């Protein structure tokens, strides 16, 4: 994988070692770096529930707080070096210190190895991981589909809620990826055959979400 040191620093591999167990960064953070964007958050995956729970406790000790949770994840936000959320009236916007760790952190367990975990991600462009030892994992078509800006549905993510799937497609179309009809009908068989552009698909998916 051809990420330079400037890009790799946004994966905060030194920081995730502080979570006290073998783990791996996977999915969209790596994809964003590959296409030239800073990640918004970091998905850090663990080998089992016990390791995940220990990492959650450790993250709280390190100054993160819980903002959301589900059967497979804890979604956390840093209290250090970030604008407060919610922001108090009268808050003075000051220059924030240089980040040495992610502002948003998802602590996840969906499978017990990096190779099994990445196969759970919905799109081949997100089926990648870098572990806390710096080793890279990806599926065969990861690099090609990133280069082609092509969304190909391949994984079996535990979240099957279709409005969330629609939001994922919209998010990636807005980043410049495209999706073929043969792919989108895997989730949405009722997509009209006359949709030709990403804008057409986005409009249809937004209407789907509003009426689902």
């Amino acid at each position: 994988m051809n990420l330079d040191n400037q890009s790799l620093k946004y994966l905060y591999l030194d920081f995730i070692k502080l979570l006290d167990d073998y783990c791996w960064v996977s999915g969209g953070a790596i994809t964003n770096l590959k296409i030239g964007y800073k990640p918004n958050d970091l998905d850090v995956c663990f080998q089992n529930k016990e390791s995940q729970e220990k990492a959650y406790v450790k993250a709280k000790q390190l100054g993160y707080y819980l903002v959301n949770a589900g059967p497979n994840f804890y979604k956390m936000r840093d209290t250090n070096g970030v604008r407060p959320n919610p922001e108090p009236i009268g808050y003075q916007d000051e220059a924030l210190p240089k980040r040495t760790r992610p502002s948003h952190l998802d602590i996840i367990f969906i499978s017990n190895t990096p190779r099994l975990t990445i196969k759970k991600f919905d799109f081949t462009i997100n089926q990648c991981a870098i572990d806390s030892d710096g080793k890279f994992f990806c599926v065969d078509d990861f690099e090609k589909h990133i280069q082609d800006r092509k969304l190909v549905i391949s994984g079996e993510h535990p979240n099957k809620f279709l409005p969330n799937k629609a939001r994922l497609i919209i998010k990636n179309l807005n980043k410049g990826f495209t999706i073929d009809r043969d792919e989108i009908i895997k989730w949405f068989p009722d997509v009209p055959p006359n949709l030709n552009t990403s804008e057409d698909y986005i409009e249809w998916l937004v209407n789907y979400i509003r009426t689902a």
Side-chain angles (χ1 to χ4, degrees):
M1 185 186 68
N2 58 343
L3 284 179
D4 58 26
N5 290 334
Q6 178 71 12
S7 297
L8 281 172
K9 74 177 186 179
Y10 293 113
L11 297 180
Y12 302 106
L13 297 181
D14 288 337
F15 169 78
I16 69 171
K17 293 175 182 177
L18 299 178
L19 298 176
D20 290 345
D21 208 339
Y22 177 69
C23 56
W24 48 95
V25 176
S26 31
I30 301 169
T31 306
N32 279 345
L33 289 171
K34 291 285 288 182
I35 61 175
Y37 296 114
K38 293 180 183 179
N40 292 322
D41 56 17
L42 218 58
D43 290 348
V44 183
C45 300
F46 291 83
Q47 301 177 86
N48 50 53
K49 284 281 189 181
E50 181 181 3
S51 294
Q52 181 196 30
E53 294 299 323
K54 288 180 179 177
Y56 168 61
V57 172
K58 183 67 174 182
K60 288 195 295 183
Q61 293 171 350
L62 291 170
Y64 285 79
Y65 67 94
L66 185 67
V67 295
N68 197 5
N72 304 296
F73 71 92
Y74 293 105
K75 186 175 288 291
M76 308 190 76
R77 189 175 192 271
D78 197 0
T79 56
N80 298 324
V82 295
R83 294 170 64 92
N85 184 26
E87 184 177 313
I89 294 172
Y91 173 76
Q92 298 298 314
D93 187 14
E94 300 176 357
L96 296 175
K98 196 171 185 179
R99 294 213 61 78
T100 59
R101 62 193 203 173
S103 57
H104 294 79
L105 176 67
D106 289 5
I107 294 176
I108 299 169
F109 169 68
I110 51 177
S111 200
N112 60 3
T113 69
R115 291 195 184 279
L116 291 175
T117 296
I118 63 177
K119 291 180 180 179
K120 299 288 186 180
F121 284 82
D122 289 315
F123 305 118
T124 53
I125 63 162
N126 292 331
Q127 291 180 339
C128 55
I130 299 178
D131 70 11
S132 47
D133 297 325
K135 185 177 179 181
F136 179 67
F137 305 83
C138 70
V139 296
D140 290 342
D141 289 328
F142 168 73
E143 296 279 1
K144 182 179 188 305
H145 292 164
I146 289 278
Q147 184 175 359
D148 295 344
R149 295 293 197 271
K150 186 72 70 176
L151 291 180
V152 175
I153 297 168
S154 172
E156 289 293 332
H157 198 279
N159 187 338
K160 308 293 185 185
F161 187 52
L162 282 177
N164 284 349
K165 304 290 192 188
R167 293 182 183 99
L168 280 176
I169 294 176
I170 292 169
K171 179 171 74 171
N172 283 291
L173 293 179
N174 282 326
K175 290 179 182 177
F177 288 93
T178 62
I179 190 167
D180 292 338
R181 176 175 168 77
D182 289 346
E183 291 299 320
I184 200 169
I185 62 174
K186 292 177 181 178
W187 287 342
F188 304 100
D190 296 331
V191 167
N194 62 335
L195 302 185
N196 298 311
T197 67
S198 293
E199 290 76 14
D200 292 338
Y201 282 128
I202 289 172
E203 185 172 351
W204 188 89
L205 289 165
V206 168
N207 287 331
Y208 173 86
I209 292 167
R210 286 171 53 83
T211 57

